[in-house]
């Protein structure tokens, strides 16, 4: 594959650990620079990885950085992305792409004008769980897809996250925080969406941090915390989605896809793997053999796929997909606020399916 691709990481919070672990020792990726608001944290990661610890403004211009991995909070995604693009660097960011469609479109358009690639998490849809389900849909195992449901209900991240403030600020909430996993999976399985409707509620104006040094501290809630949406896909299928920080748990399958000849139970799209179970009339449930996706993947496999994508080709976890997912999610929130049905202003092609790829073929 030639020389390793130079990556600079901006933002070294909780999620960065998963990226660092997944990318450690990867022959195609070299972390050359890191930046964080905490100089101590940046210094520790630099010592671990052999990278330089530099301010973010310097990182995006670092001569060895080819791609900026943007792991900042959602409110900072656009600022860092634009700085990277202006410096001629590709940018791959955590989800969501931005906090609004206008911001997201600005990032994608800036990348296109500058001729640099834009990508975004989630990359969980590239794992064996969703990709095996994708293969089953494409092979016609459930006939014509007619509907899908996605369900995510939890008590809220303040229970475990030591600094959960941003989950309850614009760019957060259950739809923009957890929705990207589910909506990206629905688009991967059923294709783009043309219109949405929705309803939402906010039961509490404050939350209490449950762990860490700030345990017991009260934080404000500035977003809806229970959101239900209806997605009208271009192929005629209709999906429903529920995302909530106001419940406790659910026994519903994370995703179900219903077709004229059968139903697929799809594993948690916040994970990379899991069983895909096929139900067909008159037959026993069948756990499908793994038939697609990156095996043994972790957060960061999307960056590897992004780096491997040929220039001028839209990455699987690319800006077009991320912008369309953002349009779907913010459209549901707008529909919930305004009432009625919202026609979307973006679309995307279904990303290419990922053939089954053993870990040694994508990481070694």
């Amino acid at each position: 594959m030639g020389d390793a691709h130079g990556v600079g990481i901006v933002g070294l919070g909780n999620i960065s650990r998963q990226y660092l672990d997944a990318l450690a020792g990867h022959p195609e990726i070299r972390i050359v620079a890191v930046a964080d608001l905490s100089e101590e944290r940046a210094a520790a990661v630099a010592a671990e990885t052999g990278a330089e610890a530099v301010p973010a403004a310097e990182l995006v211009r670092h001569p060895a950085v080819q791609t900026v991995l943007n792991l900042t909070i959602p409110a900072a995604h656009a600022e860092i992305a634009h700085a990277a693009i202006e410096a001629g660097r590709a940018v791959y960011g955590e989800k969501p792409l931005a906090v609004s469609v206008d911001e997201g479109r600005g990032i994608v358009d800036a990348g296109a004008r500058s001729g640099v690639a834009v990508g975004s998490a989630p990359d969980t849809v590239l794992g064996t769980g969703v990709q095996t389900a994708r293969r089953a849909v494409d092979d016609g195992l459930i006939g014509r897809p007619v509907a899908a449901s996605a369900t995510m209900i939890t008590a809220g991240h303040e229970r475990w996250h030591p600094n959960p403030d941003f989950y309850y600020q614009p760019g957060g909430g259950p739809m923009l925080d957890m929705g990207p996993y589910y909506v990206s999976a629905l688009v991967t399985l059923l294709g783009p969406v043309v219109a949405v409707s929705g309803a939402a509620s906010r039961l509490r104006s404050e939350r209490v941090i449950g762990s860490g040094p700030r345990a017991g501290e009260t934080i404000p809630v500035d977003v809806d915390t229970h959101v239900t949406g209806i997605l009208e896909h271009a192929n005629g299928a209709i999906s429903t989605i529920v995302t909530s920080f106001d419940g406790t748990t659910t026994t519903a399958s994370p995703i179900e896809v219903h077709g004229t000849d059968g139903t697929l139970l799809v594993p948690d799209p916040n994970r990379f793997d899991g069983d895909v179970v096929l139900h067909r009339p008159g037959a026993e449930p069948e756990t499908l053999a793994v038939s697609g996706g990156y095996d043994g993947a972790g957060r960061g496999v999307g960056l590897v796929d992004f780096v491997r994508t040929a220039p001028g080709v839209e990455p699987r976890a690319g800006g077009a997909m991320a912008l369309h997912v953002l349009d779907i999610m913010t459209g549901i929130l707008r529909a919930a606020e305004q009432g009625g049905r919202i026609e979307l202003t973006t679309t995307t092609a279904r990303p290419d399916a990922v053939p089954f790829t053993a870990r040694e073929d994508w990481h070694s």
Side-chain angles (χ1 to χ4, degrees), residues 177-195:
D177 176 54
M178 297 300 292
Y181 300 109
Y182 295 81
V183 175
S184 295
L186 291 172
V187 173
T188 296
L189 294 168
L190 298 176
V193 173
V194 296

Side-chain angles (χ1 to χ4, degrees), residues 91-183:
V91 60
Y92 181 95
E94 249 305 311
K95 50 76 187 170
L97 176 65
V99 298
S100 71
V101 171
D102 285 345
E103 278 193 357
R105 185 178 284 112
I107 293 170
V108 172
D109 289 349
R113 287 194 302 270
S114 299
V116 301
V118 173
S120 176
D123 54 3
T124 47
V125 294
L126 307 183
T128 55
V130 170
Q131 289 296 319
T132 293
R134 160 80 180 261
R135 176 69 180 270
V137 171
D138 290 351
D139 286 351
L141 296 189
I142 62 169
R144 178 181 175 181
V146 295
S149 61
T151 308
M152 192 292 302
I153 296 176
T154 183
H157 294 349
E158 75 278 5
R159 293 174 300 116
W160 57 269
H161 198 292
N163 295 293
D165 310 61
F166 70 93
Y167 289 116
Y168 298 100
Q169 296 170 358
M175 180 55 73
L176 289 183
D177 176 54
M178 297 300 292
Y181 300 109
Y182 295 81
V183 175

Side-chain angles (χ1 to χ4, degrees), residues 3 11 14 55 57 70 74 158 198 210 225 233-234 257 263 297 321 324 329 336:
D3 295 336
N14 281 9
N70 184 4
E158 75 278 5
T225 49
H233 294 266
V257 183
T263 288
M321 176 74 159
H324 187 55
M329 296 186 300

